[in-house]
Amino acid sequence: MDFLVDIGSFLLKAAIIVIAVGFIIGLLAQAAQKQKKSKGDLQVTDLSKELKDLSEHLKLELMDKKARKKAMKALKKKKPADDKKQRLFVLDFKGSMDAKEVDNLRQEVNAILQLATEKDEVLVRLESGGGVVNGYGLAAAQLQRIKSKGLTLNVAIDKVAASGGYMMACVGHKLLAAPFSFIGSIGVVAQIPNFHRFLKKHDVDFEQLTAGEYKRTLTLFGENTDEGRRKFKQDLEAIHRQFKAFVQENRPELDIDKVATGEVWSGQEAKELGLVDEVTTSDSWLLEQHKTFNVLQLNYVVRKPMSERFAKGLSTVIQTLKSSLTRSDIAQ
């Protein structure tokens, strides 16, 4: 009898695994078909409605039972207002070292520029400690497109906008910063390790051939020269001059030599130096703008690669099956 029970249990487990695998394959085929049509989706969230719903919910909670019941009936009968307010588009940019988020930013800006009028405004909630020059230069150029279209561009910094992050932020018509946010770091830095002495100690030769006097100035494995260091420093200075000129162009009232030292300041200090225009949080500012604008948050979301989704889905199914079968074994 126990033998038959064991066989039955084995067949049940096998059937569950086969069904699960078949289900996953079906989902992957469906996902692959959809992925051919679109690589990402633009998600739109009505922040005005969310703020209004929160306010109404709080009002109801503060009422007594009788008044709440009456208010809820009134809300159900109330017709949606024909809202013709201006629109405020909200974008979130949380930048990494390589500024890969610029790809999503590009799509969000494209969407806005095809729809917005000069009456509309844009708020970018920016958070970045900076990174590669070319990546953040492109990100700043994306924000410049909004200004070039004639739209008012606002930038809010709740935590940090330093180095490349400030390169982006300074493009805005109006810069907002939380009191203890980090602002500035208008400078350029580069650092690389050198393993030449280690290789030499272990009798390892390193060969590097170049065409062009300054094709390679500093190297990881070769012996660096004073001339190479001088040229590398010269290149950094050139980038710094461009950075300073860009900031000065966008905020001409700044004493650029005073602020372009690579230092970082708090939001309050940055206001005194002219790096930002107002000390406030993005939440406080949005609550005020909500009275005038329809506030819409845009977020372009890229679909994850099929292989990544497959691995994650398969892992989840396997873990579920293991847990389920373990419980079944214990019960027996």
Side-chain angles (χ1 to χ4, degrees):
M1 188 66 180
D2 290 339
F3 175 73
L4 293 176
V5 170
D6 289 339
I7 291 177
S9 176
F10 172 78
L11 292 175
L12 178 61
K13 294 175 182 178
I16 292 173
I17 293 173
V18 170
I19 292 171
V21 172
F23 179 72
I24 292 173
I25 292 173
L27 287 178
L28 287 175
Q30 185 179 6
Q33 186 65 27
K34 290 182 179 179
Q35 196 170 33
K36 291 179 181 178
K37 298 178 181 178
S38 174
K39 292 183 178 179
D41 297 306
L42 183 67
Q43 299 177 350
V44 182
T45 304
D46 190 340
L47 295 184
S48 289
K49 184 177 184 302
E50 286 190 356
L51 291 170
K52 184 178 179 181
D53 289 345
L54 283 172
S55 177
E56 289 180 347
H57 179 73
L58 180 58
K59 288 178 182 178
L60 290 172
E61 289 298 320
L62 295 176
M63 294 178 182
D64 58 48
K65 188 174 180 180
K66 185 177 179 180
R68 186 186 304 127
K69 188 175 180 181
K70 184 178 179 181
M72 289 178 69
K73 285 184 178 179
L75 283 174
K76 289 180 180 179
K77 293 180 180 179
K78 187 178 179 181
K79 294 181 179 179
D82 183 15
D83 206 341
K84 296 181 179 179
K85 292 188 293 186
Q86 299 165 271
R87 292 166 298 190
L88 173 62
F89 297 102
V90 180
L91 308 180
D92 289 310
F93 186 91
K94 188 174 182 179
S96 56
M97 184 64 70
D98 61 358
K100 61 180 181 297
E101 297 79 9
V102 73
D103 292 332
N104 289 7
L105 177 64
R106 176 192 293 115
Q107 298 293 347
E108 292 161 0
V109 171
N110 284 341
I112 290 173
L113 296 186
Q114 293 180 72
L115 178 66
T117 68
E118 292 185 1
K119 294 181 179 180
D120 298 325
E121 294 192 15
V122 178
L123 170 69
V124 177
R125 294 187 290 200
L126 174 63
E127 181 182 335
S128 174
V132 296
V133 175
N134 54 348
Y136 278 92
L138 179 57
Q142 294 298 331
L143 298 187
Q144 188 70 51
R145 293 173 60 204
I146 296 173
K147 286 180 67 176
S148 299
K149 187 72 173 181
L151 304 179
T152 298
L153 175 64
N154 308 281
V155 178
I157 306 152
D158 288 324
K159 293 183 179 179
V160 58
S163 195
Y166 189 76
M167 181 188 291
M168 291 180 65
C170 75
V171 176
H173 291 99
K174 187 172 186 178
L175 271 64
L176 319 166
F180 291 97
S181 57
F182 291 148
I183 310 294
S185 189
I186 305 173
V188 185
V189 62
Q191 51 190 1
I192 59 172
N194 183 264
F195 299 96
H196 172 69
R197 283 184 292 179
F198 175 83
L199 296 178
K200 187 176 181 181
K201 181 179 178 180
H202 291 83
D203 296 323
V204 178
D205 292 329
F206 173 74
E207 297 290 341
Q208 178 175 265
L209 304 178
T210 62
E213 185 179 0
Y214 297 117
K215 178 62 180 177
R216 185 68 69 235
T217 51
L218 296 185
T219 173
L220 283 169
F221 303 108
E223 183 177 6
N224 290 319
T225 64
D226 289 339
E227 175 63 15
R229 295 186 186 93
R230 183 197 64 78
K231 182 63 173 69
F232 195 84
K233 181 67 164 57
Q234 191 179 82
D235 293 340
L236 292 182
E237 293 288 354
I239 295 172
H240 190 212
R241 285 195 297 272
Q242 292 179 54
F243 191 175
K244 289 166 61 177
F246 184 80
V247 173
Q248 187 77 83
E249 180 182 353
N250 284 281
R251 296 188 70 82
E253 71 284 355
L254 272 178
D255 182 347
I256 194 64
D257 291 326
K258 185 176 181 179
V259 299
T261 59
E263 295 174 84
V264 175
W265 293 275
S266 69
Q268 185 64 56
E269 293 171 324
K271 169 68 167 59
E272 296 168 2
L273 290 167
L275 289 163
V276 301
D277 302 301
E278 185 178 339
V279 178
T280 185
T281 65
S282 62
D283 299 312
S284 296
W285 192 79
L286 280 174
L287 278 175
E288 287 299 315
Q289 303 309 309
H290 160 59
K291 301 172 184 177
T292 308
F293 292 90
N294 279 328
V295 184
L296 302 171
Q297 181 181 356
L298 305 186
N299 184 26
Y300 187 79
V301 180
V302 178
R303 300 175 188 273
K304 291 183 178 179
M306 188 186 301
S307 58
E308 185 177 337
R309 283 182 283 162
F310 173 76
K312 185 177 180 180
L314 186 59
S315 176
T316 302
V317 171
I318 290 174
Q319 290 300 322
T320 303
L321 286 173
K322 281 183 178 179
S323 177
S324 176
L325 294 176
T326 300
R327 288 197 297 270
S328 176
D329 290 340
I330 291 173
Q332 291 178 14

